[in-house]
Amino acid sequence: MPFQIVIPAFADGGGIPRLHTGEGADLSPAIEWSGEPAGTQSFVLIVDDPDAPGGTWNHWLLWDIPPSLQSLAEKFKPGTVGQSGRNDFGKQGYDGPCPPRGHGPHRYYFRLYALNVSALGLQAGARRADLDRALAGHVLAEAQFMGRYERK
């Protein structure tokens, strides 16, 4: 079975429910995965919006997720699992879609990486550039799931 990620709240390529957006309760959706390759020692989750006006906007950075986990529950709280990075809202944890009004639909990619190390050695609150550097040479596989959201 291939490495895959599933978000039960919406279909891959479908609309993200308001509950999981900045216009709603801003709760992270539940995420499930399976099929990671042999030798996986940890996971990294990155959620970003490549359609943001100023370039890719990071909504959630989470690393050092133990290999024993196969899911994250809805309403994730930083400090409960792994290490949380600082997103582009300046906070740790998840901040949902909230694109500019009238900007059209944005794509939100949920990417899960299976790694060959148990820890990346990053402090909580690290930024995306630090995470990208730490990932180099450690990715065994990547799975992605995409949702869309538009503020009208």
Side-chain angles (χ1 to χ4, degrees), residues 2-99:
F3 186 38
Q4 63 182 3
I5 181 173
V6 173
I7 300 175
F10 56 94
D12 189 19
I16 298 174
R18 187 178 177 97
L19 175 70
H20 304 297
T21 74
E23 291 188 293
D26 212 10
L27 300 179
S28 65
I31 301 172
E32 302 168 0
W33 59 89
S34 60
E36 66 276 2
T40 298
Q41 294 183 41
S42 68
F43 298 102
V44 169
L45 176 68
I46 297 175
V47 179
D48 62 23
D49 169 10
D51 302 317
T56 299
W57 188 265
N58 298 287
H59 287 262
W60 195 4
L61 306 172
L62 181 64
W63 60 88
D64 295 352
I65 302 167
S68 57
L69 291 184
Q70 296 291 296
S71 65
L72 294 173
E74 182 180 79
K75 196 177 176 182
F76 177 86
K77 296 289 184 209
T80 58
V81 170
Q83 294 288 342
S84 292
R86 189 163 309 283
N87 62 33
D88 287 339
F89 293 95
K91 299 187 278 184
Q92 291 185 28
Y94 175 85
D95 277 285
C98 199

Side-chain angles (χ1 to χ4, degrees), residues 21-23 97-106 108 149-152:
T21 74
E23 291 188 293
C98 199
R101 288 190 194 284
H103 201 255
H106 283 214
Y108 296 86
Y149 190 73
E150 178 179 9
R151 279 179 71 195
K152 297 189 180 190

Side-chain angles (χ1 to χ4, degrees), residues 79-143:
T80 58
V81 170
Q83 294 288 342
S84 292
R86 189 163 309 283
N87 62 33
D88 287 339
F89 293 95
K91 299 187 278 184
Q92 291 185 28
Y94 175 85
D95 277 285
C98 199
R101 288 190 194 284
H103 201 255
H106 283 214
R107 297 167 297 155
Y108 296 86
Y109 286 94
F110 292 72
R111 291 184 178 93
L112 189 71
Y113 299 89
L115 305 185
N116 63 2
V117 292
S118 59
L120 288 175
L122 293 173
Q123 297 281 334
R127 303 290 271 192
R128 174 71 183 266
D130 300 318
L131 180 54
D132 287 343
R133 280 191 293 277
L135 282 173
H138 296 298
V139 176
L140 297 172
E142 174 187 348

